[in-house]
Short mmCIF file of all heavy atoms in Angstrom, two decimals:
data_model
loop_
_atom_site.label_atom_id
_atom_site.label_comp_id
_atom_site.label_asym_id
_atom_site.label_seq_id
_atom_site.Cartn_x
_atom_site.Cartn_y
_atom_site.Cartn_z
N HIS A 127 3.20 2.30 5.67
CA HIS A 127 3.57 1.00 5.11
C HIS A 127 4.39 0.24 6.15
O HIS A 127 5.38 0.75 6.66
CB HIS A 127 4.38 1.22 3.83
CG HIS A 127 4.52 0.01 2.95
ND1 HIS A 127 4.99 -1.21 3.43
CD2 HIS A 127 4.26 -0.18 1.64
CE1 HIS A 127 5.00 -2.08 2.43
NE2 HIS A 127 4.55 -1.48 1.34
N ASN A 165 -0.76 -0.27 5.47
CA ASN A 165 -0.60 -1.23 4.39
C ASN A 165 0.49 -2.26 4.73
O ASN A 165 1.54 -1.90 5.25
CB ASN A 165 -0.20 -0.43 3.13
CG ASN A 165 0.13 -1.31 1.95
OD1 ASN A 165 -0.76 -1.81 1.27
ND2 ASN A 165 1.41 -1.50 1.67
N HIS A 167 2.41 -6.27 3.41
CA HIS A 167 2.54 -7.36 2.45
C HIS A 167 2.12 -8.66 3.13
O HIS A 167 2.61 -8.96 4.22
CB HIS A 167 3.99 -7.50 1.97
CG HIS A 167 4.49 -6.33 1.17
ND1 HIS A 167 5.75 -6.29 0.63
CD2 HIS A 167 3.87 -5.18 0.80
CE1 HIS A 167 5.89 -5.15 -0.04
NE2 HIS A 167 4.78 -4.46 0.06
N GLU A 202 -1.78 -5.58 0.59
CA GLU A 202 -1.31 -5.14 -0.73
C GLU A 202 -1.34 -6.30 -1.72
O GLU A 202 -0.94 -7.42 -1.39
CB GLU A 202 0.11 -4.57 -0.60
CG GLU A 202 0.64 -4.05 -1.94
CD GLU A 202 1.91 -3.21 -1.83
OE1 GLU A 202 2.31 -2.86 -0.70
OE2 GLU A 202 2.51 -2.93 -2.88
N HIS A 271 -1.29 1.91 -5.33
CA HIS A 271 0.13 2.19 -5.55
C HIS A 271 0.32 2.33 -7.05
O HIS A 271 0.11 1.37 -7.79
CB HIS A 271 1.00 1.05 -5.01
CG HIS A 271 1.15 1.05 -3.53
ND1 HIS A 271 1.68 -0.01 -2.84
CD2 HIS A 271 0.87 2.01 -2.61
CE1 HIS A 271 1.71 0.29 -1.54
NE2 HIS A 271 1.22 1.51 -1.39
FE1 FE B 1183 4.48 -2.49 -0.69
#
Side-chain angles (χ1 to χ4, degrees):
H127 195 307
N165 175 79
H167 294 182
E202 182 168 350
H271 283 168

